[in-house]
Amino acid sequence: MANFLKPAKHIEPLPKEQVDDTYKKLRLQVFIGIFLGYAGYYLLRKNFSLAMPALIDEGFSKTELGFALSAISIAYGFSKFIMGTVSDRSNARVFITLGLVLTAIVNLLMGFIPVLTSSVAIMFVMLFLNGWFQGMGWPPSGRVLVHWYSVSERGGKTAIWNVAHNVGGGLMAPIALVGISITGTLSFGYLKGFEGAFIYPAIIALIIALISYMLVRDTPQSMGLPPIEDYRQDYPSKNKETLEVELTTKEILFKYVLNNKWVWMIAIANIFVYFVRYGVLDWAPTYLNEEKGFNLNESGWAYFLYEWAGIPGTLLCGYISDKVFKGRRGPAGFIFMLGVTIAVIIYWLNPPGNPLIDNMALIAIGFLIYGPVMLIGLQALDYVPKKAAGTAAGLTGLFGYLGGAVMANIIMGMVVDSLGWDSGFLLLTIVSVLAMLSFIFTWNKRGQEVLK
Ligand SMILES: O=P(O)(O)OC[C@H](O)CO
């Protein structure tokens, strides 16, 4: 492990009278740091799609660009897991900043060096690198959440943090579009305009990386504070033990993650949830255009509403799982996926000519799907000791992206091409039902009680 990445050293405990004030201040500070940081990552997750229309005008086909785009999901899936294992043994403050700076550098290079957007193979490599560095955002955020917030408050706090990705993803398009327009004028004599979709979100991400570095702190003990469990008298197990020793990768993998049946269950559930998340989102513009007669502008709005509807939906889901089901995530996930299934069927069966119903169905899916997405991340944090949090979330990401997101792109495309949209939606509905049922396995599990 590189020295600069090592977890921050524990320092001498602060005097007792300073603990409460310092904890309150730092908890808010680190939370804002990871919220802004993760929103910053999402400015650079899908911005390539805003450069795609211009690249199509340059002569690239949709298939070629779709192939290049898939590099992000493939790399992200592997990276969230592999970099998750590194993150669990790293200083979250350094790790989250480093990943954001690296993803910004990749985008600046793609923006300023024309050869890097000149062929599908080169774009695939660059987007793969981008996807890899993107995988350095979730795990350190998870590490901060589990070290600064105790078990009983994690549902609500993780839900609030989780909307960072909707905020970042939602702001990406306007920033990229303004960037494209600025670059059309400020072209440095050689840029064409579309490069602005890389350059301007990347510049903002660099500023966010600096702010995030100033705000995030690795662990309470590195600031002279007691572990969060002692501070809040809120323990993951009845014997009040908490794990404060940093683990080796072998211990994390073989003692806490790969031999943990609950982690495997949510990893499999994540395949279905992510298939629906990206199966609806990525195909929405094409489906709405081909089957419902939406133009690009109208389907762009529908896409935007889908993302932003996820914010209140996620908060409600976190609240319900904490307050109504007292920390049991399974029932909340089941109910939200039931709603998604119904909305997918309405979205499918609504005849052309009723755009309001299409938009309402899409908003309902966006409102409902991000709760289960968040709950799986939260369960990953719940089901392992805090020193293994990033790895557990990373494993669910690996399954979600490779088995869910990438498959949603490939299999949905193949089914729709050969059998039509009805078959595509039948598949989506079946997968949505499977996602719903998969929450039954963790129906009665609460917080970290699986560790007892
Ligand atoms: O799909 P991811 O890995 O970017 O995660 C998005 C949300 O934060 C899931 O909780």
Side-chain angles (χ1 to χ4, degrees):
M1 169 77 56
N3 255 340
F4 73 99
L5 278 181
K6 281 192 173 153
K9 285 206 169 69
H10 294 190
I11 62 169
E12 282 295 307
L14 290 174
K16 272 203 168 55
E17 63 276 12
Q18 289 182 22
V19 166
D20 196 43
D21 281 352
T22 312
Y23 235 126
K24 279 187 184 134
K25 174 181 156 272
L26 284 178
R27 270 155 62 90
L28 179 62
Q29 178 183 316
V30 298
F31 188 86
I32 295 171
I34 58 169
F35 189 96
L36 291 177
Y38 204 55
Y41 273 83
Y42 257 82
L43 292 181
L44 301 172
R45 179 71 71 85
K46 290 258 180 181
N47 52 331
F48 181 75
S49 30
L50 272 285
M52 277 166 63
L55 290 166
I56 289 170
D57 290 344
E58 301 245 310
F60 292 103
S61 70
K62 288 196 195 73
T63 310
E64 286 174 323
L65 294 178
F67 171 70
L69 189 62
S70 72
I72 297 181
S73 290
I74 296 168
Y76 183 82
F78 281 114
S79 171
K80 192 171 172 183
F81 178 48
I82 294 169
M83 298 312 270
T85 66
V86 182
S87 166
D88 276 335
R89 297 165 51 240
S90 299
N91 183 332
R93 182 188 192 191
V94 177
F95 205 83
I96 194 169
T97 309
L98 179 67
L100 191 48
V101 168
L102 289 172
T103 190
I105 289 173
V106 171
N107 277 275
L108 288 176
L109 293 174
M110 289 183 81
F112 282 113
I113 304 178
V115 74
L116 297 180
T117 47
S118 65
S119 83
V120 176
I122 296 175
M123 284 191 282
F124 186 94
V125 172
M126 294 306 291
L127 293 175
F128 192 94
L129 282 175
N130 192 44
W132 192 271
F133 297 137
Q134 284 282 321
M136 295 174 68
W138 210 109
S141 304
R143 177 175 167 90
V144 167
L145 282 169
V146 294
H147 280 81
W148 289 91
Y149 293 92
S150 60
V151 180
S152 70
E153 57 181 349
R154 237 179 240 167
K157 293 299 184 297
T158 304
I160 298 171
W161 167 75
N162 198 70
V163 303
H165 84 281
N166 301 99
V167 172
L171 288 177
M172 176 277 290
I175 293 170
L177 290 174
V178 170
I180 290 172
S181 142
I182 295 174
T183 311
T185 318
L186 184 67
S187 67
F188 303 104
Y190 74 101
L191 298 177
K192 293 173 182 155
F194 73 86
E195 299 91 337
F198 302 114
I199 295 169
Y200 288 88
I203 291 171
I204 294 176
L206 282 177
I207 296 167
I208 291 175
L210 181 65
I211 298 171
S212 201
Y213 183 77
M214 291 193 301
L215 296 178
V216 174
R217 297 292 181 272
D218 190 29
T219 58
Q221 292 97 318
S222 69
M223 301 305 291
L225 295 165
I228 187 64
E229 296 81 1
D230 292 343
Y231 171 64
R232 293 200 74 244
Q233 290 295 299
D234 180 15
Y235 294 90
S237 59
K238 283 193 183 110
N239 61 16
K240 299 195 172 184
E241 269 178 22
T242 67
L243 189 63
E244 303 305 331
V245 183
E246 302 295 340
L247 303 169
T248 64
T249 304
K250 193 173 161 193
E251 282 173 321
I252 291 171
L253 281 175
F254 297 105
K255 205 165 161 191
Y256 295 110
V257 177
L258 296 181
N259 65 343
N260 185 328
K261 70 172 176 183
W262 303 110
V263 174
W264 283 108
M265 280 179 191
I266 56 170
I268 291 165
N270 214 28
I271 294 177
F272 304 130
V273 171
Y274 267 57
F275 192 107
V276 179
R277 174 185 174 185
Y278 284 107
V280 173
L281 185 65
D282 288 349
W283 289 102
T286 316
Y287 172 67
L288 290 172
N289 175 258
E290 287 185 2
E291 291 294 296
K292 305 289 175 83
F294 280 44
N295 62 34
L296 193 64
N297 198 22
E298 288 165 335
S299 55
W301 268 104
Y303 191 100
F304 172 85
L305 293 171
Y306 176 92
E307 276 295 316
W308 283 74
I311 296 175
T314 305
L315 296 176
L316 180 68
C317 190
Y319 181 82
I320 288 176
S321 80
D322 267 357
K323 303 292 178 204
V324 179
F325 297 112
K326 310 287 179 216
R328 289 186 300 137
R329 317 301 179 197
F334 182 92
I335 291 168
F336 272 62
M337 283 313 304
L338 174 63
V340 169
T341 309
I342 294 168
V344 165
I345 292 171
I346 294 172
Y347 181 52
W348 166 23
L349 298 180
N350 175 41
N354 305 298
L356 184 63
I357 294 179
D358 287 316
N359 275 318
M360 295 297 286
L362 212 46
I363 289 170
I365 299 170
F367 181 86
L368 294 163
I369 190 71
Y370 285 108
V373 166
M374 176 275 295
L375 286 178
I376 288 182
L378 177 58
Q379 285 178 307
L381 303 182
D382 277 348
Y383 292 164
V384 295
K386 59 187 176 184
K387 301 296 177 188
T391 307
L395 187 72
T396 66
L398 177 68
F399 278 62
Y401 274 89
L402 294 187
V406 177
M407 287 302 129
N409 291 162
I410 297 172
I411 297 178
M412 275 287 286
M414 280 165 48
V415 169
V416 172
D417 264 348
S418 52
L419 301 168
W421 281 106
D422 279 344
S423 301
F425 269 91
L426 181 61
L427 174 67
L428 210 48
T429 307
I430 292 169
V431 176
S432 191
V433 169
L434 290 174
M436 180 179 84
L437 296 177
S438 64
F439 279 98
I440 291 175
F441 293 117
T442 52
W443 192 269
N444 283 318
K445 294 293 151 222
R446 180 179 286 114
Q448 293 209 325
E449 67 184 5
V450 298
L451 295 176
K452 285 175 198 171

Coordinates of all heavy atoms in Angstrom, one line a residue, residues 38 42 45 76 80 138 162 165 274 277 373-374 401, ligand 1:
Y38 N -19.2 12.8 -4.2 CA -19.9 11.8 -5.0 C -20.7 12.5 -6.1 O -20.8 11.9 -7.2 CB -20.7 10.9 -4.2 CG -20.9 9.5 -4.9 CD1 -19.8 8.8 -5.3 CD2 -22.2 9.0 -5.1 CE1 -20.0 7.6 -6.0 CE2 -22.4 7.8 -5.8 CZ -21.2 7.1 -6.2 OH -21.4 5.9 -6.9
Y42 N -20.3 12.0 -10.3 CA -21.4 11.7 -11.3 C -21.5 12.8 -12.4 O -22.1 12.6 -13.4 CB -22.8 11.6 -10.6 CG -23.2 10.1 -10.5 CD1 -22.7 9.3 -9.5 CD2 -24.1 9.6 -11.5 CE1 -23.1 8.0 -9.4 CE2 -24.4 8.3 -11.4 CZ -23.9 7.5 -10.4 OH -24.3 6.1 -10.4
R45 N -19.7 10.7 -15.1 CA -20.1 9.3 -15.3 C -20.6 9.1 -16.7 O -20.3 8.2 -17.4 CB -21.1 8.9 -14.2 CG -21.5 7.5 -14.3 CD -20.4 6.5 -13.9 NE -20.1 6.5 -12.5 CZ -20.8 5.8 -11.6 NH1 -21.8 5.0 -11.9 NH2 -20.4 5.8 -10.3
Y76 N -16.2 0.1 -14.4 CA -16.8 0.5 -13.1 C -17.1 -0.7 -12.2 O -16.8 -0.7 -11.0 CB -18.0 1.4 -13.3 CG -18.6 1.9 -12.0 CD1 -18.0 3.1 -11.4 CD2 -19.6 1.3 -11.4 CE1 -18.5 3.5 -10.2 CE2 -20.1 1.8 -10.1 CZ -19.5 2.9 -9.6 OH -20.0 3.4 -8.4
K80 N -15.2 -1.0 -8.8 CA -15.9 -0.7 -7.5 C -15.5 -1.9 -6.5 O -15.4 -1.6 -5.3 CB -17.4 -0.7 -7.7 CG -18.2 -0.1 -6.5 CD -19.6 0.1 -6.8 CE -20.4 0.5 -5.6 NZ -21.9 0.7 -5.9
W138 N -17.5 5.5 -4.6 CA -18.5 4.9 -3.6 C -17.8 4.3 -2.4 O -18.2 4.6 -1.2 CB -19.3 3.8 -4.3 CG -20.7 3.5 -3.8 CD1 -21.8 3.9 -4.4 CD2 -21.0 3.0 -2.5 NE1 -22.9 3.5 -3.6 CE2 -22.4 3.0 -2.4 CE3 -20.3 2.5 -1.4 CZ2 -23.2 2.5 -1.4 CZ3 -21.1 2.0 -0.3 CH2 -22.5 2.0 -0.3
N162 N -27.0 9.3 -0.6 CA -27.2 8.6 -1.9 C -27.8 9.5 -3.0 O -27.6 9.3 -4.2 CB -28.1 7.4 -1.7 CG -28.0 6.4 -2.8 OD1 -27.0 5.8 -3.0 ND2 -29.1 6.3 -3.6
H165 N -25.8 11.3 -6.0 CA -25.6 10.8 -7.4 C -26.7 11.3 -8.3 O -26.4 11.5 -9.5 CB -25.3 9.3 -7.5 CG -26.6 8.4 -7.5 ND1 -27.3 8.1 -6.4 CD2 -27.2 7.8 -8.5 CE1 -28.3 7.4 -6.7 NE2 -28.2 7.1 -8.0
Y274 N -30.3 -3.6 -10.9 CA -29.5 -2.8 -11.9 C -30.0 -3.0 -13.3 O -29.9 -2.2 -14.2 CB -28.0 -3.0 -11.7 CG -27.4 -1.9 -10.8 CD1 -27.9 -1.8 -9.5 CD2 -26.5 -1.0 -11.2 CE1 -27.5 -0.8 -8.6 CE2 -26.0 0.0 -10.3 CZ -26.5 0.1 -9.0 OH -26.0 1.1 -8.2
R277 N -32.9 -0.7 -13.4 CA -32.4 0.7 -13.4 C -31.9 1.1 -14.8 O -32.4 2.1 -15.3 CB -31.3 0.8 -12.3 CG -30.7 2.2 -12.3 CD -29.5 2.3 -11.4 NE -28.8 3.6 -11.5 CZ -27.7 3.9 -10.8 NH1 -27.1 3.1 -10.0 NH2 -27.2 5.1 -11.0
V373 N -32.0 0.6 -5.0 CA -30.6 0.8 -5.4 C -29.8 1.2 -4.1 O -28.8 0.6 -3.8 CB -30.4 1.8 -6.5 CG1 -29.0 2.3 -6.6 CG2 -30.9 1.3 -7.8
M374 N -30.4 2.2 -3.4 CA -29.7 2.6 -2.2 C -29.7 1.6 -1.1 O -28.7 1.4 -0.4 CB -30.4 3.9 -1.7 CG -30.0 4.5 -0.4 SD -30.7 3.8 1.1 CE -32.4 4.2 0.9
Y401 N -23.3 -4.1 -12.0 CA -22.9 -3.5 -13.3 C -22.6 -4.5 -14.4 O -23.1 -4.4 -15.5 CB -21.7 -2.6 -13.1 CG -22.1 -1.2 -12.7 CD1 -22.3 -0.9 -11.3 CD2 -22.5 -0.3 -13.6 CE1 -22.9 0.3 -10.9 CE2 -23.0 1.0 -13.2 CZ -23.2 1.3 -11.9 OH -23.7 2.5 -11.5
Ligands
LIG1 O1 -24.4 2.8 -9.2 P1 -23.4 3.4 -8.3 O2 -22.3 2.5 -7.8 O3 -22.8 4.7 -8.8 O4 -24.1 3.8 -7.0 C1 -25.2 4.7 -7.1 C2 -25.9 4.7 -5.8 O5 -25.1 5.4 -4.9 C3 -26.1 3.4 -5.2 O6 -26.4 3.4 -3.8

